[in-house]
Amino acid sequence: MKNQLRTLRAEAGWTQAQLAEHLGVSRQAVNALEVEKHDPSLDLAYRISVVFGRPVEAIFENPYRRGK
């Protein structure tokens, strides 16, 4: 799933390990999300939105959105 995670993390000045700590996941999990190898669970998507203070829709692209 396309996302803005890498950009948001860079803007925050965090390493993958630091973001992983904020989210309670491994650095490898953050990397897998950033390279779009895995999609986040709903719970993790909400935790990411809270950490960055943005709605889920601003971080993750909805692949089912009409008109695409």
Side-chain angles (χ1 to χ4, degrees), residues 23-53:
L23 296 173
V25 300
S26 69
R27 185 203 58 80
Q28 292 84 353
V30 170
N31 180 262
L33 291 169
E34 285 188 357
V35 299
E36 301 169 6
K37 185 175 181 182
H38 293 290
D39 293 339
S41 65
L42 184 57
D43 176 66
L44 182 54
Y46 280 120
R47 283 188 277 152
I48 291 168
S49 89
V50 168
V51 164
F52 289 111

PDB file of all heavy atoms in Angstrom, residues 23-53:
ATOM      1  N   LEU A  23       6.208   3.096  17.934  1.00  0.00           N
ATOM      2  CA  LEU A  23       5.055   2.290  17.517  1.00  0.00           C
ATOM      3  C   LEU A  23       4.955   0.950  18.235  1.00  0.00           C
ATOM      4  O   LEU A  23       3.930   0.282  18.143  1.00  0.00           O
ATOM      5  CB  LEU A  23       5.130   2.040  16.005  1.00  0.00           C
ATOM      6  CG  LEU A  23       5.033   3.274  15.118  1.00  0.00           C
ATOM      7  CD1 LEU A  23       5.304   2.903  13.667  1.00  0.00           C
ATOM      8  CD2 LEU A  23       3.668   3.936  15.268  1.00  0.00           C
ATOM      9  N   GLY A  24       6.025   0.540  18.882  1.00  0.00           N
ATOM     10  CA  GLY A  24       6.026  -0.760  19.556  1.00  0.00           C
ATOM     11  C   GLY A  24       6.163  -1.928  18.590  1.00  0.00           C
ATOM     12  O   GLY A  24       5.592  -2.986  18.807  1.00  0.00           O
ATOM     13  N   VAL A  25       6.924  -1.702  17.509  1.00  0.00           N
ATOM     14  CA  VAL A  25       7.177  -2.755  16.523  1.00  0.00           C
ATOM     15  C   VAL A  25       8.683  -2.818  16.266  1.00  0.00           C
ATOM     16  O   VAL A  25       9.444  -1.998  16.780  1.00  0.00           O
ATOM     17  CB  VAL A  25       6.425  -2.496  15.190  1.00  0.00           C
ATOM     18  CG1 VAL A  25       4.921  -2.442  15.411  1.00  0.00           C
ATOM     19  CG2 VAL A  25       6.905  -1.214  14.512  1.00  0.00           C
ATOM     20  N   SER A  26       9.114  -3.754  15.458  1.00  0.00           N
ATOM     21  CA  SER A  26      10.532  -3.880  15.136  1.00  0.00           C
ATOM     22  C   SER A  26      10.929  -2.896  14.030  1.00  0.00           C
ATOM     23  O   SER A  26      10.079  -2.413  13.272  1.00  0.00           O
ATOM     24  CB  SER A  26      10.854  -5.300  14.675  1.00  0.00           C
ATOM     25  OG  SER A  26      10.254  -5.552  13.418  1.00  0.00           O
ATOM     26  N   ARG A  27      12.230  -2.624  13.938  1.00  0.00           N
ATOM     27  CA  ARG A  27      12.734  -1.785  12.858  1.00  0.00           C
ATOM     28  C   ARG A  27      12.442  -2.434  11.512  1.00  0.00           C
ATOM     29  O   ARG A  27      12.127  -1.761  10.534  1.00  0.00           O
ATOM     30  CB  ARG A  27      14.247  -1.556  13.015  1.00  0.00           C
ATOM     31  CG  ARG A  27      14.784  -0.587  11.962  1.00  0.00           C
ATOM     32  CD  ARG A  27      16.262  -0.751  11.701  1.00  0.00           C
ATOM     33  NE  ARG A  27      16.621  -2.087  11.265  1.00  0.00           N
ATOM     34  CZ  ARG A  27      16.482  -2.558  10.018  1.00  0.00           C
ATOM     35  NH1 ARG A  27      15.935  -1.827   9.081  1.00  0.00           N
ATOM     36  NH2 ARG A  27      16.860  -3.786   9.718  1.00  0.00           N
ATOM     37  N   GLN A  28      12.515  -3.767  11.468  1.00  0.00           N
ATOM     38  CA  GLN A  28      12.234  -4.486  10.230  1.00  0.00           C
ATOM     39  C   GLN A  28      10.792  -4.276   9.789  1.00  0.00           C
ATOM     40  O   GLN A  28      10.508  -4.197   8.594  1.00  0.00           O
ATOM     41  CB  GLN A  28      12.544  -5.975  10.396  1.00  0.00           C
ATOM     42  CG  GLN A  28      14.021  -6.279  10.564  1.00  0.00           C
ATOM     43  CD  GLN A  28      14.532  -6.148  11.999  1.00  0.00           C
ATOM     44  OE1 GLN A  28      13.822  -5.709  12.903  1.00  0.00           O
ATOM     45  NE2 GLN A  28      15.779  -6.530  12.208  1.00  0.00           N
ATOM     46  N   ALA A  29       9.876  -4.182  10.749  1.00  0.00           N
ATOM     47  CA  ALA A  29       8.469  -3.938  10.417  1.00  0.00           C
ATOM     48  C   ALA A  29       8.303  -2.554   9.795  1.00  0.00           C
ATOM     49  O   ALA A  29       7.570  -2.385   8.817  1.00  0.00           O
ATOM     50  CB  ALA A  29       7.591  -4.076  11.656  1.00  0.00           C
ATOM     51  N   VAL A  30       8.993  -1.568  10.343  1.00  0.00           N
ATOM     52  CA  VAL A  30       8.937  -0.212   9.782  1.00  0.00           C
ATOM     53  C   VAL A  30       9.487  -0.223   8.367  1.00  0.00           C
ATOM     54  O   VAL A  30       8.901   0.348   7.450  1.00  0.00           O
ATOM     55  CB  VAL A  30       9.701   0.796  10.674  1.00  0.00           C
ATOM     56  CG1 VAL A  30       9.857   2.146   9.970  1.00  0.00           C
ATOM     57  CG2 VAL A  30       8.984   0.970  12.009  1.00  0.00           C
ATOM     58  N   ASN A  31      10.622  -0.904   8.169  1.00  0.00           N
ATOM     59  CA  ASN A  31      11.208  -0.983   6.834  1.00  0.00           C
ATOM     60  C   ASN A  31      10.243  -1.634   5.852  1.00  0.00           C
ATOM     61  O   ASN A  31      10.070  -1.147   4.735  1.00  0.00           O
ATOM     62  CB  ASN A  31      12.526  -1.752   6.878  1.00  0.00           C
ATOM     63  CG  ASN A  31      13.153  -1.850   5.509  1.00  0.00           C
ATOM     64  OD1 ASN A  31      13.010  -2.852   4.819  1.00  0.00           O
ATOM     65  ND2 ASN A  31      13.843  -0.797   5.110  1.00  0.00           N
ATOM     66  N   ALA A  32       9.597  -2.724   6.249  1.00  0.00           N
ATOM     67  CA  ALA A  32       8.658  -3.429   5.362  1.00  0.00           C
ATOM     68  C   ALA A  32       7.494  -2.523   4.970  1.00  0.00           C
ATOM     69  O   ALA A  32       7.020  -2.571   3.831  1.00  0.00           O
ATOM     70  CB  ALA A  32       8.150  -4.701   6.030  1.00  0.00           C
ATOM     71  N   LEU A  33       7.041  -1.687   5.889  1.00  0.00           N
ATOM     72  CA  LEU A  33       5.971  -0.738   5.569  1.00  0.00           C
ATOM     73  C   LEU A  33       6.474   0.335   4.610  1.00  0.00           C
ATOM     74  O   LEU A  33       5.797   0.679   3.633  1.00  0.00           O
ATOM     75  CB  LEU A  33       5.436  -0.076   6.838  1.00  0.00           C
ATOM     76  CG  LEU A  33       4.664  -0.968   7.795  1.00  0.00           C
ATOM     77  CD1 LEU A  33       4.449  -0.249   9.116  1.00  0.00           C
ATOM     78  CD2 LEU A  33       3.349  -1.402   7.188  1.00  0.00           C
ATOM     79  N   GLU A  34       7.664   0.859   4.872  1.00  0.00           N
ATOM     80  CA  GLU A  34       8.199   1.931   4.035  1.00  0.00           C
ATOM     81  C   GLU A  34       8.438   1.490   2.598  1.00  0.00           C
ATOM     82  O   GLU A  34       8.231   2.275   1.672  1.00  0.00           O
ATOM     83  CB  GLU A  34       9.512   2.460   4.633  1.00  0.00           C
ATOM     84  CG  GLU A  34       9.297   3.333   5.835  1.00  0.00           C
ATOM     85  CD  GLU A  34      10.565   4.017   6.307  1.00  0.00           C
ATOM     86  OE1 GLU A  34      11.653   3.784   5.729  1.00  0.00           O
ATOM     87  OE2 GLU A  34      10.461   4.802   7.259  1.00  0.00           O
ATOM     88  N   VAL A  35       8.882   0.270   2.406  1.00  0.00           N
ATOM     89  CA  VAL A  35       9.145  -0.210   1.044  1.00  0.00           C
ATOM     90  C   VAL A  35       7.912  -0.882   0.438  1.00  0.00           C
ATOM     91  O   VAL A  35       7.985  -1.478  -0.633  1.00  0.00           O
ATOM     92  CB  VAL A  35      10.378  -1.147   0.973  1.00  0.00           C
ATOM     93  CG1 VAL A  35      11.623  -0.422   1.431  1.00  0.00           C
ATOM     94  CG2 VAL A  35      10.155  -2.429   1.758  1.00  0.00           C
ATOM     95  N   GLU A  36       6.788  -0.767   1.151  1.00  0.00           N
ATOM     96  CA  GLU A  36       5.485  -1.270   0.697  1.00  0.00           C
ATOM     97  C   GLU A  36       5.483  -2.776   0.463  1.00  0.00           C
ATOM     98  O   GLU A  36       4.775  -3.289  -0.398  1.00  0.00           O
ATOM     99  CB  GLU A  36       5.021  -0.491  -0.536  1.00  0.00           C
ATOM    100  CG  GLU A  36       4.899   0.991  -0.247  1.00  0.00           C
ATOM    101  CD  GLU A  36       4.690   1.866  -1.465  1.00  0.00           C
ATOM    102  OE1 GLU A  36       4.516   1.325  -2.573  1.00  0.00           O
ATOM    103  OE2 GLU A  36       4.709   3.093  -1.311  1.00  0.00           O
ATOM    104  N   LYS A  37       6.285  -3.478   1.271  1.00  0.00           N
ATOM    105  CA  LYS A  37       6.315  -4.940   1.202  1.00  0.00           C
ATOM    106  C   LYS A  37       5.133  -5.528   1.973  1.00  0.00           C
ATOM    107  O   LYS A  37       4.638  -6.587   1.623  1.00  0.00           O
ATOM    108  CB  LYS A  37       7.639  -5.449   1.771  1.00  0.00           C
ATOM    109  CG  LYS A  37       7.826  -6.931   1.652  1.00  0.00           C
ATOM    110  CD  LYS A  37       9.199  -7.357   2.132  1.00  0.00           C
ATOM    111  CE  LYS A  37       9.365  -8.859   1.983  1.00  0.00           C
ATOM    112  NZ  LYS A  37      10.675  -9.298   2.482  1.00  0.00           N
ATOM    113  N   HIS A  38       4.729  -4.831   3.031  1.00  0.00           N
ATOM    114  CA  HIS A  38       3.604  -5.281   3.852  1.00  0.00           C
ATOM    115  C   HIS A  38       2.680  -4.110   4.128  1.00  0.00           C
ATOM    116  O   HIS A  38       3.129  -2.969   4.221  1.00  0.00           O
ATOM    117  CB  HIS A  38       4.084  -5.862   5.185  1.00  0.00           C
ATOM    118  CG  HIS A  38       4.841  -7.133   5.043  1.00  0.00           C
ATOM    119  ND1 HIS A  38       4.250  -8.315   4.673  1.00  0.00           N
ATOM    120  CD2 HIS A  38       6.152  -7.411   5.199  1.00  0.00           C
ATOM    121  CE1 HIS A  38       5.170  -9.260   4.614  1.00  0.00           C
ATOM    122  NE2 HIS A  38       6.341  -8.731   4.928  1.00  0.00           N
ATOM    123  N   ASP A  39       1.402  -4.415   4.278  1.00  0.00           N
ATOM    124  CA  ASP A  39       0.417  -3.413   4.675  1.00  0.00           C
ATOM    125  C   ASP A  39       0.255  -3.464   6.183  1.00  0.00           C
ATOM    126  O   ASP A  39       0.335  -4.542   6.780  1.00  0.00           O
ATOM    127  CB  ASP A  39      -0.939  -3.693   4.019  1.00  0.00           C
ATOM    128  CG  ASP A  39      -0.910  -3.519   2.511  1.00  0.00           C
ATOM    129  OD1 ASP A  39      -0.007  -2.831   2.006  1.00  0.00           O
ATOM    130  OD2 ASP A  39      -1.787  -4.089   1.838  1.00  0.00           O
ATOM    131  N   PRO A  40      -0.019  -2.316   6.817  1.00  0.00           N
ATOM    132  CA  PRO A  40      -0.193  -2.324   8.267  1.00  0.00           C
ATOM    133  C   PRO A  40      -1.548  -2.906   8.659  1.00  0.00           C
ATOM    134  O   PRO A  40      -2.507  -2.834   7.891  1.00  0.00           O
ATOM    135  CB  PRO A  40      -0.126  -0.841   8.627  1.00  0.00           C
ATOM    136  CG  PRO A  40      -0.689  -0.167   7.427  1.00  0.00           C
ATOM    137  CD  PRO A  40      -0.198  -0.988   6.250  1.00  0.00           C
ATOM    138  N   SER A  41      -1.593  -3.459   9.852  1.00  0.00           N
ATOM    139  CA  SER A  41      -2.893  -3.837  10.413  1.00  0.00           C
ATOM    140  C   SER A  41      -3.653  -2.535  10.688  1.00  0.00           C
ATOM    141  O   SER A  41      -3.057  -1.443  10.720  1.00  0.00           O
ATOM    142  CB  SER A  41      -2.710  -4.607  11.717  1.00  0.00           C
ATOM    143  OG  SER A  41      -2.131  -3.749  12.711  1.00  0.00           O
ATOM    144  N   LEU A  42      -4.933  -2.641  10.903  1.00  0.00           N
ATOM    145  CA  LEU A  42      -5.729  -1.461  11.211  1.00  0.00           C
ATOM    146  C   LEU A  42      -5.222  -0.805  12.491  1.00  0.00           C
ATOM    147  O   LEU A  42      -5.068   0.419  12.565  1.00  0.00           O
ATOM    148  CB  LEU A  42      -7.211  -1.829  11.335  1.00  0.00           C
ATOM    149  CG  LEU A  42      -8.186  -0.689  11.563  1.00  0.00           C
ATOM    150  CD1 LEU A  42      -8.076   0.348  10.444  1.00  0.00           C
ATOM    151  CD2 LEU A  42      -9.600  -1.227  11.652  1.00  0.00           C
ATOM    152  N   ASP A  43      -4.907  -1.621  13.484  1.00  0.00           N
ATOM    153  CA  ASP A  43      -4.386  -1.109  14.747  1.00  0.00           C
ATOM    154  C   ASP A  43      -3.094  -0.325  14.524  1.00  0.00           C
ATOM    155  O   ASP A  43      -2.930   0.779  15.031  1.00  0.00           O
ATOM    156  CB  ASP A  43      -4.152  -2.272  15.726  1.00  0.00           C
ATOM    157  CG  ASP A  43      -3.514  -1.804  17.014  1.00  0.00           C
ATOM    158  OD1 ASP A  43      -4.168  -1.056  17.767  1.00  0.00           O
ATOM    159  OD2 ASP A  43      -2.344  -2.178  17.257  1.00  0.00           O
ATOM    160  N   LEU A  44      -2.178  -0.895  13.762  1.00  0.00           N
ATOM    161  CA  LEU A  44      -0.904  -0.220  13.511  1.00  0.00           C
ATOM    162  C   LEU A  44      -1.106   1.055  12.693  1.00  0.00           C
ATOM    163  O   LEU A  44      -0.461   2.075  12.959  1.00  0.00           O
ATOM    164  CB  LEU A  44       0.081  -1.156  12.818  1.00  0.00           C
ATOM    165  CG  LEU A  44       1.472  -0.587  12.535  1.00  0.00           C
ATOM    166  CD1 LEU A  44       2.123  -0.034  13.803  1.00  0.00           C
ATOM    167  CD2 LEU A  44       2.335  -1.645  11.882  1.00  0.00           C
ATOM    168  N   ALA A  45      -1.991   1.035  11.729  1.00  0.00           N
ATOM    169  CA  ALA A  45      -2.272   2.238  10.938  1.00  0.00           C
ATOM    170  C   ALA A  45      -2.766   3.365  11.846  1.00  0.00           C
ATOM    171  O   ALA A  45      -2.351   4.523  11.691  1.00  0.00           O
ATOM    172  CB  ALA A  45      -3.299   1.938   9.851  1.00  0.00           C
ATOM    173  N   TYR A  46      -3.616   3.037  12.810  1.00  0.00           N
ATOM    174  CA  TYR A  46      -4.099   4.057  13.742  1.00  0.00           C
ATOM    175  C   TYR A  46      -2.987   4.544  14.653  1.00  0.00           C
ATOM    176  O   TYR A  46      -2.895   5.746  14.945  1.00  0.00           O
ATOM    177  CB  TYR A  46      -5.284   3.545  14.563  1.00  0.00           C
ATOM    178  CG  TYR A  46      -6.578   3.606  13.803  1.00  0.00           C
ATOM    179  CD1 TYR A  46      -7.309   2.459  13.553  1.00  0.00           C
ATOM    180  CD2 TYR A  46      -7.079   4.809  13.331  1.00  0.00           C
ATOM    181  CE1 TYR A  46      -8.503   2.502  12.840  1.00  0.00           C
ATOM    182  CE2 TYR A  46      -8.275   4.873  12.624  1.00  0.00           C
ATOM    183  CZ  TYR A  46      -8.981   3.711  12.394  1.00  0.00           C
ATOM    184  OH  TYR A  46     -10.154   3.777  11.688  1.00  0.00           O
ATOM    185  N   ARG A  47      -2.121   3.642  15.123  1.00  0.00           N
ATOM    186  CA  ARG A  47      -0.986   4.071  15.956  1.00  0.00           C
ATOM    187  C   ARG A  47      -0.073   5.012  15.171  1.00  0.00           C
ATOM    188  O   ARG A  47       0.413   6.006  15.718  1.00  0.00           O
ATOM    189  CB  ARG A  47      -0.199   2.863  16.468  1.00  0.00           C
ATOM    190  CG  ARG A  47      -0.913   2.168  17.626  1.00  0.00           C
ATOM    191  CD  ARG A  47      -0.058   1.105  18.252  1.00  0.00           C
ATOM    192  NE  ARG A  47      -0.198  -0.115  17.461  1.00  0.00           N
ATOM    193  CZ  ARG A  47       0.722  -1.053  17.349  1.00  0.00           C
ATOM    194  NH1 ARG A  47       1.877  -0.939  17.957  1.00  0.00           N
ATOM    195  NH2 ARG A  47       0.492  -2.122  16.612  1.00  0.00           N
ATOM    196  N   ILE A  48       0.165   4.711  13.900  1.00  0.00           N
ATOM    197  CA  ILE A  48       0.991   5.576  13.062  1.00  0.00           C
ATOM    198  C   ILE A  48       0.343   6.947  12.921  1.00  0.00           C
ATOM    199  O   ILE A  48       1.014   7.976  13.023  1.00  0.00           O
ATOM    200  CB  ILE A  48       1.230   4.922  11.684  1.00  0.00           C
ATOM    201  CG1 ILE A  48       2.131   3.687  11.846  1.00  0.00           C
ATOM    202  CG2 ILE A  48       1.830   5.921  10.700  1.00  0.00           C
ATOM    203  CD1 ILE A  48       2.196   2.793  10.616  1.00  0.00           C
ATOM    204  N   SER A  49      -0.963   6.974  12.721  1.00  0.00           N
ATOM    205  CA  SER A  49      -1.655   8.267  12.569  1.00  0.00           C
ATOM    206  C   SER A  49      -1.554   9.088  13.850  1.00  0.00           C
ATOM    207  O   SER A  49      -1.382  10.306  13.786  1.00  0.00           O
ATOM    208  CB  SER A  49      -3.100   8.068  12.134  1.00  0.00           C
ATOM    209  OG  SER A  49      -3.978   7.915  13.197  1.00  0.00           O
ATOM    210  N   VAL A  50      -1.613   8.445  14.995  1.00  0.00           N
ATOM    211  CA  VAL A  50      -1.493   9.158  16.273  1.00  0.00           C
ATOM    212  C   VAL A  50      -0.077   9.704  16.444  1.00  0.00           C
ATOM    213  O   VAL A  50       0.113  10.866  16.826  1.00  0.00           O
ATOM    214  CB  VAL A  50      -1.881   8.235  17.455  1.00  0.00           C
ATOM    215  CG1 VAL A  50      -1.490   8.856  18.790  1.00  0.00           C
ATOM    216  CG2 VAL A  50      -3.369   7.927  17.422  1.00  0.00           C
ATOM    217  N   VAL A  51       0.923   8.889  16.148  1.00  0.00           N
ATOM    218  CA  VAL A  51       2.322   9.309  16.297  1.00  0.00           C
ATOM    219  C   VAL A  51       2.613  10.547  15.451  1.00  0.00           C
ATOM    220  O   VAL A  51       3.292  11.466  15.889  1.00  0.00           O
ATOM    221  CB  VAL A  51       3.285   8.151  15.943  1.00  0.00           C
ATOM    222  CG1 VAL A  51       4.697   8.647  15.711  1.00  0.00           C
ATOM    223  CG2 VAL A  51       3.269   7.097  17.045  1.00  0.00           C
ATOM    224  N   PHE A  52       2.069  10.582  14.239  1.00  0.00           N
ATOM    225  CA  PHE A  52       2.338  11.712  13.348  1.00  0.00           C
ATOM    226  C   PHE A  52       1.272  12.800  13.402  1.00  0.00           C
ATOM    227  O   PHE A  52       1.407  13.834  12.748  1.00  0.00           O
ATOM    228  CB  PHE A  52       2.535  11.223  11.911  1.00  0.00           C
ATOM    229  CG  PHE A  52       3.828  10.474  11.734  1.00  0.00           C
ATOM    230  CD1 PHE A  52       3.825   9.114  11.483  1.00  0.00           C
ATOM    231  CD2 PHE A  52       5.052  11.125  11.845  1.00  0.00           C
ATOM    232  CE1 PHE A  52       5.011   8.411  11.331  1.00  0.00           C
ATOM    233  CE2 PHE A  52       6.241  10.435  11.701  1.00  0.00           C
ATOM    234  CZ  PHE A  52       6.223   9.080  11.448  1.00  0.00           C
ATOM    235  N   GLY A  53       0.193  12.562  14.158  1.00  0.00           N
ATOM    236  CA  GLY A  53      -0.848  13.579  14.298  1.00  0.00           C
ATOM    237  C   GLY A  53      -1.566  13.892  13.011  1.00  0.00           C
ATOM    238  O   GLY A  53      -1.943  15.040  12.766  1.00  0.00           O
TER     239      GLY A  53
END
